[in-house]
Amino acid sequence: DWNLFRRSRAFAAGAVLLLSVGIGVSATMIAIVDALMFRSPAVVREPDRLVAVGARNYVEYDALASSASTVDLSAYTSQTLRVGTGVDATPVRAECVTANYFDVLGVAAALGRTFREDETRPGSQRLVVLSHAF
């Protein structure tokens, strides 16, 4: 009944305030879910040009990369490694990547540098790029 709103202005103000907060919270949650689940990471240059192509091993990737002249290819594989020794070892998610991985994504290191092509040759020194989370 609209008369209730006219007689009690405090009730009307409370109802409007409650609706405003509810709509604001809902809009914020939708924006957060959209940003986290449906959009590409903002740090990747040209995310709409990224395509996942499956290769069973490095030989297949190498064949694809050598025959591709109009696209940049990079490869990665995810693994779980253990950092530390014995019972204190902590599982850590890691990716083994080709040297051009960061260049293809358009991502620069915040500190230090990423990999160079000459560091991928057999017998070269093993290198690691650490994430902010690590």
Side-chain angles (χ1 to χ4, degrees):
D1 188 54
W2 289 106
N3 289 331
L4 177 64
F5 286 109
R6 280 189 220 145
R7 281 186 273 149
S8 176
R9 292 183 182 200
F11 178 77
V16 169
L17 179 67
L18 186 63
L19 283 170
S20 299
V21 169
I23 291 169
V25 168
S26 297
T28 302
M29 290 306 298
I30 289 170
I32 290 171
V33 168
D34 180 54
L36 293 177
M37 297 180 74
F38 300 117
R39 294 185 191 255
S40 299
V43 296
V44 175
R45 179 190 69 216
E46 300 181 78
D48 54 323
R49 294 191 64 211
L50 292 178
V51 177
V53 178
R56 289 185 295 262
N57 54 46
Y58 188 79
V59 173
E60 283 187 11
Y61 161 76
D62 200 34
L64 282 171
S66 63
S67 66
S69 60
T70 60
V71 295
D72 295 324
L73 291 180
S74 180
Y76 76 95
T77 181
S78 296
Q79 299 179 16
T80 300
L81 305 175
R82 299 188 68 76
V83 176
T85 57
V87 295
D88 295 330
T90 305
V92 176
R93 186 177 151 258
E95 290 183 351
C96 296
V97 301
T98 53
N100 67 340
Y101 180 78
F102 296 102
D103 295 332
V104 169
L105 293 178
V107 177
L111 294 172
R113 64 176 178 85
T114 58
F115 306 115
R116 293 189 312 249
E117 195 65 40
D118 63 322
E119 295 168 334
T120 62
R121 294 189 189 112
S124 64
Q125 185 177 6
R126 302 288 179 153
L127 300 170
V128 175
V129 175
L130 301 176
S131 69
H132 289 285
F134 185 79

